[in-house]
Every structure is written in C-alpha cells, then in structure tokens.
C-alpha cells in the first residue's frame, strides 16, 4: 500500500480496498459504476471506525490515506480511549498511541494491561487533559503514582492496584491535592492498607476489591494491626456509592470492617448504592448494619443493594425494600432472605418494582460446608407461582441469576385447577432479558419415563442392563426444528427471549477444582445432583441452539450429557459465540463427549475464550488440531486432575493461533514435564507476544496456591477461577454513569462527559 502524501494517489488506493458495483435503472438501460470508501461521508466512516481498536487506528488505519488519517484523530474517537486487554498491542504500540493522544484523550482505560512496563505508564504524564484513568491490573508503585497525580490537574476518576510495598507517605503534596479532588476511586487492595482513601475527601464513588491471602509466602499469618495506628482514616461525607468485593479469607473481612468503621459514627446521607460481597460460611458481623438500614429507609433513594446474609434480618430488609425502588439487587448466598426479596417484589413491599433491571437470587453452591445444610434444600426451592408473579411485577429485568437453587416442575394436574406454569414459561415473558443463569433442573419438564416392571420369572433378572431413566439422547441431523420431547418449557424460553446473549447452566451439585469464592478443592468429589438435573442431557443442550445471538455459554455439572452431540448444534447455529466454558459434563470417570467437542471446536470460528474442566482430559494431537480451527482464540484454560497433554502438539497449536495470549493448563503429569513445556512456550513466543501469560502446573501439586497467587488478577477473575458472572454487579450504564457525567462536566469544560 502506498504511503505517498499525494491525496489523489492515496484516495485511489483506498478505493481499491472496498469497491461495490452499483446498478441504476433509468428506464432506458442500466448504468454501472463503483463506489469506494473515499466516497463515503465522514459520518459513515466515523461510525465504522468506532468499531476499530484505538491501537489499530493510530498504528495502521491512519497511515492508509490522508482522509482516514484525519478521521482517525477525530475528537469523537480520541477523547475516550479503551486499551483494556489489547493483547496484540505491545509496549511500543501503546507508547505510540499515547504519544499521538496526549493532547486529545480525556478518558483512558488500561485495565488488565498487566504486561506494560513502568516507562510506558510514565508516558501518561503528558496526557494532562485526563479526567478518568483506569490502571487496574498494571504495575504502579507509590512513587510512580505520585508523579502521575502531580501532572494530572483535572483528574476526577482513578482506578489502580495497591500492591505490597505501597506507601502513601511517598505521595507528594501535589499528588495529595489531586487526590482530594477525586470524585471516583477504585482500589484493588493486595496488601493490608487504606491505599489513598484517606487522601480522598470528595469521593462520590468508592469501589474496593480486597484480595489479600491469609498467609504470607513464608508461611506466617497476615494481619491488619499495623493499619490501626494510621493517623488518617477514611471519611465518606459525600459518598453515594460504596462497593466492596472480597476474596475468601479472614484478613479481607477484617480489612473491610476497617474501611467501614466510619459508618458506625455516621452513615453518608447521600448513599444510594451499597454493595458488599463476602464469601464463606460465616461473614464477619458488622455492628453498623442496623444504622445503615435505618438510613436507607429514611432517605428512600436506593438504587443498588447487596449485603452478606448475616448483616440484616428479614424484617429490616423488608423495611428497606418498602421505602425504595432499586435497579439492582444481589442477595446471592442468602437463602434465608430470598423469600423476603420475592415477597417484597411481588407484593407492595417495593415502591416501584418495574425499575428493577438486575436481580441475583443464587444460593449456596456447596451446602455441606454450611451449618444450616440440613434445611438448605427447602430454602433453595423455587416456587413456580412465586416466580411467575415476580416476572409480572418486574417486567424490565435484563439480568437474572438463579444458580444453586432447585426448581422441580410438577406435571400433575388436579381437576378444576389450572395446570402449573413452568419456570421457563414464566421467564419467557422477560423480553428484555440479556443474561440468565439457571440451575440445570430448571430446564427439565419434570416428566420421567417409568421403569418397566421386571418379570419375577425372568432368568436374566439382575443381569440385563437397565434403561437410563429421564435421559433423552439427541441424534443430530434430524432437521432444523428444535427437539420438543422433554424440553417444552425450554422451548417457550427460546421463543420469548430470542435476544439472550449470556447463558449459564450449572448443576446444583457442581464443585469446581478451582473456584473463585471458595477454597480450591484438592479432590474432586462425585457430583450430587437432583433427579431432574440428571435428566438434562444432549437434547436440552441441542435446544439451546435457538439462542442465535448467544455470545457467552457456560455448562457445568451436567451428568446427563452422554455424547455431547448438542454442543455441535449450538456451535453450528450460534455463530456469534465468543466465550465457552464447559465443566464436568457427563460421567466423571471418563471423557464421553470428546469426539463431539472436537466437532464443536471446528465450528467455533468466532471463539475468543475457552475454559474446559473435566477430570479426564486427553489433550492429544487431534484435540489441538481441532482447537487450531478457532483462529480468533485469545484465552485458553484447561483443568483436569488426570489430564494428559502432548507437548509438540501444544507448540504447533501456538504457532497456528497467533492471537493466543493466555494459556493456563492445570492437568496431570509431572512437575518437570509441566515446567519444561511452560519454558518452551515462553522462550519461543514471549518476544513477539509481550502479553503472553503461560502457566502450566500439576493440578494436585501442593504449591499450586502459590502459583495462582503470582498470576495476573484480571485473568484469574475472568478466566481461570470458576464463577458466575450474571447479575453480580450493576450494569455499568445504570448506576452512577449519568451522575458522573454531570459532575465532571461541571468541573472541567474539557471533560469527556
């Protein structure tokens, strides 16, 4: 492609890239012509360029011709820039981007760019017009942060990681002045520290992610006592939004209580979003919970709420919901409060239930770990009538999570009474639904084929192989119509929610070997599922192909999957599928769906992320050859306690799929074999792929927790560690976005808002 500055030559060259024949009937004949990209209006070209990454705009597209060079630096494209997880952009490419954007960019996100060097981050000093800056996942020391803050006078929103060794005393006076003007702060805290919160006296929004291990590398217990002696403590006079997401561990809970200590004295009057996620069986008690509830009842402008199950009782929660009209509610792992939430939403317990957009009522995954496990089954049952009323009262729900609950459809029909409505039939009325997480038993119609009564006189009694009750084997090639037998409820969901983009189906007894919100399981136990969940198999999976717009699919803990033939149908019809997570399908004593999985991978042309967990994985040459058909794959995670791999085939796969930047494999095999393959991949590909993250380690090795601790936290959250992502946090466009726009616009005329 020519790089001449002559506009005519360049425009003609651009026209050669996309040429479309145009025929116009004028009544006499047909006039043929051609339209090139240079003939498109600026508005059309800008609309197209919005789908191109900023790195490609600056480093590639802008060099095509003069017209595109001008448009690539248009203010509408350059003021708000997102470089998050731009794996293909190395240090040099991002430095080049920052060099060209220093006078334009006002909102910049480098979230998840864990591979960036300190010198690249120092380039941000020249971006003096920055109002919003996201450095989550980047390596930022206290001295480097001080230099950045000192050179960004109009910064109003900041996100960064508080890593071990961070010292707020190293912040300069100018940096502290900049922090005092912040209205939004997000901290990922990796060491016991307040971070920069005590310096931020004007915060409207505070988001915390606490991920501190209980034990140091040396084996000593981590403690938070040093924080008690700090002279400055957080103050939240103007706070409107508070969010805290905790990893498992007592240290994280202790640190949370220190951040919330000020609430015991005074609850912020403007608080309208309070989200606290505490995993584990026994959340730490918070004395100020009753004061928070009283304040929320008094002001009545709550938009989002999530609390640990021990912080509020049903009566207090009912009063809070009665006085408010929230948009997001998350009561996951709170089975004792689920009925209160449903009753409030379906009755007169909420001021306006139609405003609710996101709802999480998921239960406790591993009930045997909890003291109330004897009654957990009853608390986790979903009542069809109550769920039907919930859908009617909350018609604008877009995100719904019902994982780790039970729903058993009853087909029995009593004369004179209306037949029971299937849960999926009720959910089909949610026409705005975009993401959904369901227990496997919710897909079953509840009909079971009775076992034939054996003949007492039969000589083969006890020797004949019994038929598998409740399982329907799907046979591909049966036409384009969806299977109906045993999937009538699922069929109505397909018809009512055709725009569903995210779907998670998990068996009630599923336990991941690498969970996010529980300690890692050292030994994978057999799946304990209900009868209805065992009846969900290939036929139900094949029916999911009706969700043509599906982008993310998670299937976990489905023992009824026999051959996996339904996966092939999903891959063939859901052409936009980008993320696929499969875990413990079929029998745990073998890999029964391996052949179908290979066919599935060959059809996943748009797949960018794959997570595969199975006790017995055979990652041989055929597997890696099929995976090579996923030409857009960027992130891969394989988990198998008895899995095997072929080193040469892995290297060949990495050569074919040049976009793969994350390769995490926790399989069987020896430590020497795993380290050898890991070193081979890093030595061969890390030079051309600076973002490459390769971790290959035996799943059952005793040092695995230390290995996981060294991995980039964004990759753990988004790929490696298993967790649901439906309705976990408020939709970004719902809470605080418009308020932030108004605030930043008032504070700076050059604000991107």
């Amino acid at each position: 492609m020519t790089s001449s500055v002559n506009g005519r030559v360049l425009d003609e060259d651009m026209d050669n890239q996309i040429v479309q024949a145009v025929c116009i009937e004028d009544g006499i004949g047909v006039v043929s012509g051609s339209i090139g990209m240079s003939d498109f209006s600026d508005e059309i070209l800008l609309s197209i360029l919005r789908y191109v990454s900023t790195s490609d705009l600056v480093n590639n597209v802008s060099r095509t011709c003069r017209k595109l060079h001008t448009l690539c630096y248009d203010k509408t494209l350059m003021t708000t820039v997102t470089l998050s997880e731009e794996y293909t952009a190395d240090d040099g490419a991002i430095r080049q981007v920052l060099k060209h954007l220093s006078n334009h960019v006002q909102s910049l996100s480098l979230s998840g760019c864990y591979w960036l060097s300190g010198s690249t981050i120092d380039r941000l000093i020249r971006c003096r017009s920055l109002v919003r800056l996201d450095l989550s996942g980047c390596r930022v020391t206290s001295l480097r942060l001080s230099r950045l803050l000192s050179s960004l006078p109009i910064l109003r929103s900041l996100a960064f990681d508080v890593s071990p060794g961070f010292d707020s005393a190293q912040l300069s006076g100018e940096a502290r002045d900049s922090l005092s003007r912040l209205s939004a702060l997000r901290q990922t805290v990796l060491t016991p520290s307040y971070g920069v919160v005590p310096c931020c006296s004007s915060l409207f929004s505070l988001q915390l992610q606490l991920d501190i291990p209980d034990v140091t590398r040396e084996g000593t217990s981590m403690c938070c006592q040093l924080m008690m002696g700090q002279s400055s403590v957080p103050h939240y006079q103007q706070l409107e939004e508070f969010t805290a997401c905790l990893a498992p561990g007592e240290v994280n809970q202790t640190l949370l209580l220190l951040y919330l200590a000020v609430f015991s004295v005074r609850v912020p009057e403007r608080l309208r979003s309070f989200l606290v996620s505490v995993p584990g069986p026994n959340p730490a008690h918070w004395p100020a919970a009753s004061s928070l509830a009283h304040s929320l009842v008094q002001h009545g402008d709550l938009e989002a709420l999530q609390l640990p199950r021990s912080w509020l009782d049903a009566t207090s929660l009912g009063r809070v919901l009665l006085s408010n009209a929230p948009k997001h509610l998350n009561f996951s792992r709170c089975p004792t409060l689920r009925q209160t939430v449903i009753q409030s939403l379906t009755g007169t317990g909420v001021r306006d239930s139609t405003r609710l957009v996101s709802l999480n009522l998921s239960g406790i995954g591993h009930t045997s770990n909890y003291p109330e496990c004897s009654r957990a089954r009853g608390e986790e049952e979903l009542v069809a009538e109550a769920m039907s009323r919930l859908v009617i009262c909350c018609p604008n729900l877009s995100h719904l999570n019902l994982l780790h609950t039970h729903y058993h459809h009853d087909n029995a029909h009593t004369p004179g009474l209306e037949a029971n409505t299937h849960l999926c039939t009720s959910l089909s009325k949610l026409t705005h639904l975009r993401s959904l997480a369901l227990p496997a038993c919710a897909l079953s119609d509840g009909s079971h084929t009775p076992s034939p009564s054996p003949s007492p006189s039969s000589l083969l009694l006890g020797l004949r192989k019994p038929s598998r009750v409740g399982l329907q084997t799907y046979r591909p090639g049966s036409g384009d119509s969806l299977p109906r037998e045993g999937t009538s409820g699922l069929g109505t969901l397909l018809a009512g929610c055709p725009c569903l983009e995210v779907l998670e189906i998990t068996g009630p007894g599923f336990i991941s070997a690498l969970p996010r919100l529980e300690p890692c399981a050292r030994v994978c136990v057999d799946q304990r599922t209900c009868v209805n969940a065992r009846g969900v198999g290939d036929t139900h999976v094949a029916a999911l192909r009706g969700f043509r717009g599906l982008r993310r699919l998670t299937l976990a803990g489905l023992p009824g999957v026999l051959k996996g033939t339904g996966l092939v149908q999903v891959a063939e019809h859901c052409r936009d599928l980008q993320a696929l997570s499969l875990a413990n399908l079929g029998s745990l004593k073998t890999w029964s769906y391996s052949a179908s999985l290979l066919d599935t991978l060959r059809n996943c042309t748009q797949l960018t992320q794959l997570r595969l967990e199975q006790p017995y994985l055979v990652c041989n040459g055929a597997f890696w050859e099929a995976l090579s058909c996923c030409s857009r794959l960027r992130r891969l995670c394989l988990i198998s306690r008895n899995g095997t791999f072929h080193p040469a085939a892995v290297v060949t796969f990495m050569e074919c799929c040049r976009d793969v930047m994350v390769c995490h494999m926790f399989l069987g095999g020896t430590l020497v074999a795993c380290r050898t393959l890991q070193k081979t991949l890093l030595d061969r590909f890390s030079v051309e792929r600076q973002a490459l993250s390769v971790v290959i380690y035996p799943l059952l090795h005793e040092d695995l927790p230390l290995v996981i601790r060294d991995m980039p936290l964004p990759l753990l959250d988004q790929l490696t560690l298993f967790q649901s992502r439906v309705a976990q946090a408020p939709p970004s466009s719902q809470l605080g976005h418009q308020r932030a726009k108004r605030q930043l616009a008032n504070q700076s005329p050059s604000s991107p808002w």
Side-chain angles (χ1 to χ4, degrees):
M1 181 177 299
T2 180
S3 58
S4 171
V5 295
N6 186 290
R8 180 180 180 86
V9 174
L10 290 174
D11 286 345
E12 291 178 357
D13 183 70
M14 181 175 65
D15 290 343
N16 291 332
Q17 307 304 312
I18 300 177
V19 178
Q20 178 181 358
V22 179
C23 297
I24 305 175
E25 297 184 6
D26 57 0
I28 301 176
V30 178
V31 180
S32 298
S34 63
I35 296 179
M37 285 190 64
S38 61
D39 297 314
F40 292 170
S41 67
D42 291 351
E43 290 76 13
I44 293 178
L45 289 175
L46 286 174
S47 299
I48 296 174
L49 294 177
R50 287 191 183 97
Y51 292 93
V52 182
S53 67
T54 306
S55 177
D56 283 333
L57 286 177
V58 173
N59 296 317
N60 298 314
V61 181
S62 64
R63 302 177 181 179
T64 304
C65 69
R66 180 180 299 174
K67 183 174 184 177
L68 286 182
H69 182 275
T70 302
L71 292 177
C72 283
Y73 290 96
D74 188 83
K75 185 178 180 180
T76 59
L77 299 178
M78 295 293 105
T79 53
T80 301
V81 176
T82 299
L83 296 174
S84 300
E85 300 174 8
E86 285 284 346
Y87 296 120
T88 57
D90 56 14
D91 259 352
I94 292 185
R95 280 199 297 268
Q96 191 74 8
V97 171
L98 296 178
K99 176 182 177 181
H100 287 84
L101 301 184
S102 58
N103 297 326
H104 307 279
V105 62
Q106 297 174 343
S107 177
L108 175 63
S109 175
L110 294 173
S111 174
C113 296
Y114 51 84
W115 63 92
L116 293 184
S117 63
S119 59
T120 300
I121 296 178
D122 287 338
R123 294 273 183 148
L124 298 175
I125 294 177
R126 304 177 182 177
C127 305
R128 299 184 60 84
S129 299
L130 272 177
V131 179
R132 299 181 67 237
L133 177 60
D134 189 348
L135 296 174
S136 301
C138 300
R139 293 167 289 186
V140 181
T141 63
S142 50
L143 290 176
R144 178 165 286 117
L145 180 64
S146 179
R147 291 194 297 269
L148 281 176
L149 293 174
S150 301
S151 61
L152 303 177
I154 62 174
L155 189 68
R156 296 297 180 268
S157 177
L158 174 66
F160 78 107
D161 294 355
V162 181
S163 304
F166 182 86
D167 185 5
S168 59
Q170 296 179 341
L171 299 176
S172 65
E174 293 180 349
R176 292 176 181 272
D177 290 341
S178 182
L179 288 172
S180 66
R181 294 188 292 268
L182 287 184
S183 60
L185 174 67
R186 185 168 79 246
Q187 283 188 165
T188 301
V189 184
L190 306 176
T191 185
S193 172
Y194 282 131
V196 299
V197 173
C199 303
C200 305
S201 56
S202 304
L203 285 182
F204 286 86
S205 174
L206 175 61
Q207 299 181 32
L208 302 171
Q209 182 173 352
L210 308 182
D211 206 303
I212 308 169
D214 283 340
V215 181
T216 64
R217 292 184 175 278
E218 293 73 22
T220 59
S221 299
M222 189 82 70
C223 66
C224 297
Q225 293 181 355
L226 293 177
M227 293 187 57
M228 302 297 294
Q230 293 186 5
S231 58
S232 298
V233 295
H235 295 279
Y236 312 124
Q237 289 87 350
Q238 304 181 54
L239 199 66
E240 295 184 7
E241 302 170 9
F242 181 88
T243 301
C245 182
L246 278 64
E250 295 296 329
V251 173
N252 294 313
Q253 297 193 37
T254 303
L255 182 57
L256 172 65
L257 296 182
L258 292 176
Y259 273 98
L260 292 175
V262 181
F263 280 73
S264 301
V265 180
R266 178 178 174 272
V267 177
E269 296 180 356
R270 300 180 180 179
L271 193 67
R272 58 190 182 87
S273 175
F274 190 84
L275 305 169
V276 175
S277 173
V278 181
N282 299 307
H285 176 66
W286 184 40
S290 57
S291 300
L292 172 67
H294 177 73
S295 177
L296 296 177
V297 171
Q298 184 177 3
H299 295 94
D301 53 357
L302 181 70
E303 291 196 1
L305 181 64
Q306 178 181 6
L307 294 172
R309 55 193 180 130
S310 62
W311 284 17
L312 282 185
D313 55 25
T315 303
S316 300
L317 176 60
R319 289 197 296 265
V320 171
L321 296 178
L322 181 61
S323 306
N324 292 275
K327 295 181 180 179
H328 170 81
L329 291 175
N330 187 340
F331 287 94
S332 62
R333 311 163 69 84
C334 301
T336 56
L337 299 178
R338 183 181 298 115
Q339 294 304 321
T340 301
V341 176
I342 294 178
Q343 291 174 5
S344 298
L345 293 174
T346 56
T348 58
V350 175
R351 196 172 64 206
D352 184 7
S353 59
T354 61
R355 297 182 75 243
L356 193 65
V357 175
S358 176
L359 178 62
N360 191 329
L361 296 177
S362 59
I364 298 173
H366 193 187
T367 56
S368 62
N369 286 337
Y370 297 85
E372 69 271 24
C373 62
S374 58
R375 66 176 187 273
R377 176 62 180 272
E379 292 173 345
E380 292 180 354
E381 291 282 357
L382 296 177
V383 180
E385 182 181 359
M387 294 304 299
S388 179
R389 293 198 305 268
L390 177 66
V391 169
I392 295 175
C393 296
C394 306
N396 295 317
L397 275 176
S398 298
H399 314 278
L400 179 61
N401 193 327
L402 299 175
L403 288 183
H404 305 306
T405 60
H406 285 274
Y407 172 76
H408 295 170
H409 184 64
D410 186 7
N411 278 324
H413 177 63
T414 304
L417 297 178
E418 185 180 356
N420 292 330
T421 302
H422 195 282
L423 174 62
C424 290
T425 303
S426 299
L427 297 181
S428 65
K429 301 176 183 178
L430 298 174
T431 56
H432 300 285
L433 202 61
R434 292 298 178 268
S435 63
L436 177 64
L438 288 176
C441 50
L443 302 185
S444 174
D445 287 349
S447 58
H448 302 286
T449 305
S451 301
S453 56
S455 173
S457 59
S458 175
L459 296 178
L460 299 178
L461 182 63
L463 300 179
R464 182 176 299 167
K465 183 178 180 180
S467 60
R468 301 191 68 176
V469 179
L471 287 175
Q472 302 292 334
T473 302
Y474 175 72
R475 293 177 174 82
S478 56
D480 226 13
S481 60
L482 296 176
R484 295 183 177 180
E485 186 176 359
T487 62
S488 59
L490 181 56
T492 58
L493 181 63
L494 293 168
C497 305
C499 298
L500 197 68
E501 297 179 357
V502 180
L503 179 62
E504 298 177 357
I505 306 296
T506 302
F510 170 71
I511 305 171
S512 174
L514 292 178
R516 182 66 179 105
L517 300 179
E518 301 290 349
C520 293
R522 306 299 291 174
V523 179
C524 184
V525 298
D526 289 337
Q527 302 175 92
R528 298 181 301 276
T529 58
C530 58
V531 176
N532 287 38
R534 288 197 298 268
V536 175
D538 294 323
T539 303
H540 298 82
V541 175
L544 300 180
R545 66 184 182 181
F547 295 118
R548 299 299 178 93
L550 207 61
R551 294 180 179 272
R552 302 181 64 95
L553 176 62
T554 298
L555 302 175
L558 304 181
V561 174
L562 299 181
K563 299 296 184 181
T565 49
L567 294 173
V568 183
Q569 299 296 312
V570 171
E572 290 179 348
H573 292 80
C574 303
R575 308 302 298 178
D576 294 330
L577 191 63
Q578 297 177 0
L580 179 63
S581 177
L582 305 176
N584 290 11
L585 303 186
S587 173
L588 300 185
K589 299 179 180 180
T590 183
W591 189 18
S592 58
Y593 66 99
S594 58
S596 295
L597 178 64
L598 301 188
D599 292 336
T600 300
L601 295 177
R602 296 185 183 101
N603 287 280
C604 291
T605 56
Q606 303 297 318
L607 197 67
T608 61
Q609 176 174 304
L610 174 65
R611 186 186 189 276
L612 186 59
E613 179 176 349
Q614 198 77 18
Y616 291 88
L617 282 180
V618 182
C619 302
N620 52 20
F623 170 81
W624 294 106
E625 182 181 355
L627 192 59
S628 299
C629 297
C630 304
S631 57
R632 298 192 177 185
L633 192 67
R634 303 173 70 186
R635 302 193 290 197
L636 172 67
C637 181
L638 304 177
I639 300 173
S640 177
R641 73 174 189 267
N642 297 310
T644 60
F645 59 88
H646 193 285
V650 179
V651 175
T652 303
F653 159 75
M654 292 292 288
E655 291 176 344
C656 294
C657 297
R658 297 185 175 275
D659 288 339
V660 174
M661 296 293 172
V662 180
C663 180
H664 295 170
M665 298 168 53
F666 304 97
L667 308 175
T670 64
L671 179 61
V672 174
C674 292
R675 284 181 172 176
T676 300
L677 178 57
Q678 176 177 318
K679 185 177 185 303
T680 300
L681 296 180
L682 289 174
D683 292 344
R684 189 159 184 175
F685 302 105
S686 60
V687 174
E688 60 184 26
R689 310 181 196 182
Q690 289 190 4
L692 185 63
S693 173
V694 177
V695 180
I696 304 176
Y697 213 79
L699 179 63
L700 301 181
H701 196 279
E702 59 182 4
D703 292 335
L704 180 61
L706 297 177
V707 174
I708 291 179
R709 184 186 300 187
D710 291 335
M711 297 170 61
L713 187 58
L715 299 183
L716 291 178
D717 275 338
Q718 300 167 14
L719 173 68
T720 308
L721 303 183
F722 186 89
Q723 62 178 333
S724 174
R725 292 171 175 80
V726 175
Q728 296 294 341
S732 57
S733 61
Q734 296 295 327
L735 300 179
H737 196 55
Q738 297 299 327
R739 189 237 346 127
K741 285 185 177 181
R742 292 192 299 268
Q743 289 177 352
L744 297 181
N746 293 333
Q747 293 171 354
S748 172
S750 61
S751 169
W753 307 124

